[in-house]
Amino acid sequence: MKFLFERDTWQEVYDSLSKNKLRSVLTMVGVWWGILLLIALLGSAKGIENSFNRLFGNFATNSVFVWGQVTSKPFKGFQEGKFVNLSISDTEKVRDNVEGIEFVVPRNRNQALVVRKFLSGTFTVFGDYPILDKVQKKKLIHGRFINQNDINENKKVVIISEDIYKQLFEKEEEVIGQYIQINSLNFKVIGMFESGRNVGPSSDIHIPFSTFQQIYNQGDKIPFMMITGKPEYDIKQIEIDSKLLLKNLNNIHPEDKRAIGAFNLGKEFAKITGFLKGMQFLTWFVGIATLIAGVFAIGNILLITVKERTKEIGVRRAIGATPFEIKRQIIVEAVFITILAGLIGIISGGWILIAINALLGQGDEAVFVNASVSISVVFIALVILVFLGTLIGLIPAFKATSIKPIEALREE
């Protein structure tokens, strides 16, 4: 490795490249473009992945939403068109009898007029259990979420989103302990959570499930439930089993496809994950293929350079240079050109990602969120460049040492 630190080694590399500057630049274009493409596409794919993660971030993604609809087949004396009302007891039976379930969360929802002093608006009010915070995590800014004591005592407490706060409160006004009216009933604010992009039903205001049942006279009925499967179980099978059980509990024909509605978040998330993995694989494939093409171009140019330097190589051989030293010099030139082009490509790709983040990565609706590549990806790309540069440098290196010194000295 000592030769790498010798001035003569790098002087020879410089002389070789500077003899035909245009050719040297064109030689590097293929590698530069390949690494730029690799960095830019991988960073963009990461930005899209981050965007989806932000979209689904508050949810347990291995989940399915289930609700009652209208039957399309008569069954056990019930006519077609019966409306299906799900109940709390249904959620308990699903939780206890369907394999692979981690949580079953019954939920209530209604629209309500919300008033504070002279400000008001119509928002979605949810009746929820504390367990909701495990499957749809709230990023609390102030206060707390609903607890079991709120449920047991039917407390009139409320958790609001940051957006609701902005509409009903003055800027920087204290929120915890304040009261708002929901359908003319006073509720004490105990928490405020960060607003974000929502998956599924919009999430504005939360009150205890038991309080919701009481003020809306819901009894045992629920409009929908959220079922979360354990990570090792297939959420599509959990959906099938849960719907079949609910049909049996509610006297619905087993083949009635309309009676129980569902939105399988896990299935949709798996599609997106598969798309992102495919995109990353395609990016690596295209990037490496372009790199290989660029490196082969370097090999071809070096073959031409070796041909032009035949007499020089003959002189070096005649004064005592070994075949190994000749090969080593050619390989160093190949690796140097490859790495130099690669580093320029990495820097250029980084600039492109900076531009993407500045132009397309801002705001809640951004398609790309923090489009970037990790240091490990850059390191792997450089290792690939060194390997390919060494490999392709062997071809002109062996060509250079295959010429006999006497024949090389005769070359004009």
Side-chain angles (χ1 to χ4, degrees), residues 108-110 125 127 207-216 218:
N108 266 314
R109 179 181 62 186
N110 213 331
V125 177
I207 65 175
F209 187 91
S210 56
T211 307
F212 189 103
Q213 284 179 297
Q214 188 179 65
I215 64 175
Y216 286 104
Q218 287 288 102

Side-chain angles (χ1 to χ4, degrees), residues 2 24 36 48 103 117 127 146 153 166 187 199 204-205 211 243 282 286 327 342 355:
K2 182 181 177 182
S24 299
L36 181 149
I48 295 173
F103 301 110
K117 296 181 179 178
I146 296 163
E153 297 183 10
K166 291 176 181 177
F187 282 76
V199 177
D204 296 327
I205 296 175
T211 307
K243 288 167 75 173
L282 183 63
V286 170
K327 291 176 185 176

Side-chain angles (χ1 to χ4, degrees), residues 382-400:
L382 286 174
V383 169
I384 292 172
L385 285 174
V386 172
F387 173 75
L388 291 176
T390 303
L391 197 64
I392 207 65
L394 289 172
I395 298 173
F398 277 103
K399 177 68 176 176

